[in-house]
Amino acid sequence: MEKNTIKILNQLKEKEDAVILAHYYVDSEIQEIADYIGDSFFLAQLASKLENKTIVMAGVYFMGESIKILNPDKNVLLVDKTADCPMAHMITKEKIEAMRNKYDDLAVVCYINSTANIKALSDVCVTSSNALKIVENLEEKNIFFIPDGNLARYVAKSVQSKNVIANDGYCPVHNNIDVNELKELKSKFPKAKVLAHPECHSDILSLADFIGSTKGIIKMAKEDDCQEFIIATEKGISYMLEKECPNKNFHFIDSMICHDMKLNSVSKIIDALKSKATEVIVDKSIVDKAKIPLNRMLEMGQ
Ligand code: 13P
Ligand code: SF4
């Protein structure tokens, strides 16, 4: 990174009392300059503890929206407002209402990769790092898990005491991996352990040695004795894996690139701090409803 760019960024951060948060999937140039890097749960938890007036979220739209819902008095800026997670939109109000009409004893469990409007219709939010724990501890027997079908099926398999009904949403990056590509990597690197994100299709998860959130994958790679890993999640995670485990070898699946995460850049962070044109605005009536399932997640997901 050029010294002048860092200087401009630091001046703007000071002027706006700003802090930069980044998800593990954004480009390494951002992870290098971010104040905090983490998975969805860490970032949602962290934002409420920060004293800064302005929070810049380098990630996708729902991440900025969640931070705004939990911190309505702060200025939350996205880096690129068009960076959106397609899965966040793969559920409708009508589907939720139909499920609520069908079951009396139902909890609508909403993956954080969802729009604020959908969170507002849900009972509790989860991320991939706390979904199992939260679903296990809910009173309701029937769980409508939205929007991610793959994560829902993974939860259903792991928490057999519940009737988990899976929605049919999916992450295009994790769902569309060719299982033969993973099999080829496994035969090329037979000593490597497979670490996979639960958004992957069950054909991929059945070949994994460990299934977990981005933070969970990094922790496992660091703590496991194995020296070589095949990583089944978005390739941006390579920055932190290589930083945390400089002597270990990682193999990635070439197609696993989230183009929305890649819309973030350092020059756009500078533009956002200058213009504030990417500020996240959430209607007060939605904030009031959506903060309930998000706060419940923060309490239950610890
Ligand atoms: P994590 O919560 O594991 O960081 O995942 C976020 C995400 O978007 C995965 O595709
Ligand atoms: Fe959404 Fe998938 Fe990108 Fe994550 S990797 S932000 S789930 S499209």
Side-chain angles (χ1 to χ4, degrees):
M1 182 76 43
E2 275 184 37
K3 272 194 185 149
N4 199 36
T5 309
I6 302 281
K7 195 175 155 200
I8 296 170
L9 194 60
N10 286 339
Q11 282 169 348
L12 282 164
K13 276 171 69 182
E14 204 180 317
K15 181 167 171 258
E16 301 302 331
D17 186 18
V19 61
I20 300 172
L21 274 50
H23 188 267
Y24 292 121
Y25 291 165
V26 298
D27 277 339
S28 55
E29 63 157 22
I30 300 178
Q31 297 194 50
E32 270 162 23
I33 56 93
D35 297 296
Y36 299 94
I37 311 164
D39 69 354
S40 308
F41 186 55
F42 171 80
L43 296 170
Q45 242 182 349
L46 173 81
S48 309
K49 295 179 191 147
L50 297 171
E51 308 234 305
N52 304 70
K53 209 172 72 199
T54 302
I55 299 176
V56 182
M57 181 62 234
V60 285
Y61 201 90
F62 77 81
M63 294 178 173
E65 229 176 21
S66 300
I67 291 173
K68 183 70 184 176
I69 293 164
L70 291 167
N71 307 275
D73 297 333
K74 296 203 175 183
N75 304 323
V76 179
L77 302 176
L78 277 155
V79 178
D80 184 322
K81 259 191 152 174
T82 68
D84 197 7
C85 170
M87 179 167 63
H89 304 271
M90 293 184 186
I91 176 72
T92 60
K93 182 180 175 208
E94 290 70 28
K95 266 191 177 178
I96 297 173
E97 280 170 359
M99 209 55 81
R100 287 206 190 273
N101 289 335
K102 191 168 170 190
Y103 294 94
D104 287 333
D105 183 27
L106 181 86
V108 176
V109 175
C110 185
Y111 190 27
I112 198 162
N113 296 39
S114 51
T115 64
N117 287 357
I118 289 298
K119 287 184 178 79
L121 300 169
S122 305
D123 297 309
V124 64
C125 289
V126 296
T127 72
S128 52
S129 68
N130 57 34
L132 297 182
K133 185 176 172 186
I134 292 179
V135 169
E136 242 165 25
N137 287 313
L138 286 170
E139 275 175 19
E140 293 84 353
K141 168 88 181 156
N142 304 298
I143 308 293
F144 185 31
F145 196 104
I146 57 172
D148 189 12
N150 287 331
L151 181 57
R153 283 180 284 276
Y154 169 65
V155 171
K157 207 175 158 197
S158 311
V159 188
Q160 299 216 339
S161 57
K162 302 286 182 187
N163 172 35
V164 180
I165 305 146
N167 179 54
D168 55 6
Y170 59 89
C171 159
V173 180
H174 288 81
N175 188 59
N176 301 347
I177 318 168
D178 180 359
V179 73
N180 291 322
E181 202 179 334
L182 179 58
K183 284 183 180 163
E184 272 168 33
L185 280 173
K186 271 173 76 73
S187 53
K188 203 167 158 194
F189 305 107
K191 287 188 186 147
K193 281 192 178 172
V194 178
L195 312 184
H197 196 281
E199 285 176 14
C200 292
H201 195 274
S202 59
D203 292 348
I204 299 291
L205 296 184
S206 63
L207 298 173
D209 297 287
F210 170 80
I211 300 167
S213 73
T214 48
K215 187 179 173 186
I217 288 174
I218 295 163
K219 189 168 182 278
M220 179 54 74
K222 221 174 143 179
E223 291 174 0
D224 199 275
D225 289 340
C226 188
Q227 295 300 308
E228 196 174 15
F229 300 92
I230 297 166
I231 304 296
T233 194
E234 213 275 348
K235 281 174 91 177
I237 200 172
S238 61
Y239 171 79
M240 195 51 80
L241 283 171
E242 281 154 11
K243 191 174 169 192
E244 293 284 328
C245 319
N247 300 320
K248 297 195 178 185
N249 292 322
F250 297 100
H251 310 290
F252 298 91
I253 297 172
D254 279 337
S255 60
M256 295 196 77
I257 293 176
C258 175
H259 295 288
D260 285 278
M261 286 284 184
K262 302 307 173 220
L263 288 172
N264 292 271
S265 69
V266 173
S267 65
K268 285 187 195 172
I269 293 178
I270 291 176
D271 292 347
L273 281 167
K274 278 184 187 162
S275 73
K276 325 256 177 22
T278 55
E279 187 173 350
V280 182
I281 313 279
V282 186
D283 209 75
K284 186 174 177 320
S285 62
I286 297 294
V287 168
D288 290 344
K289 287 184 192 147
K291 74 179 180 202
I292 299 169
L294 273 171
N295 277 322
R296 215 174 153 203
M297 172 187 79
L298 295 180
E299 279 160 30
M300 292 181 76
Q302 297 289 350

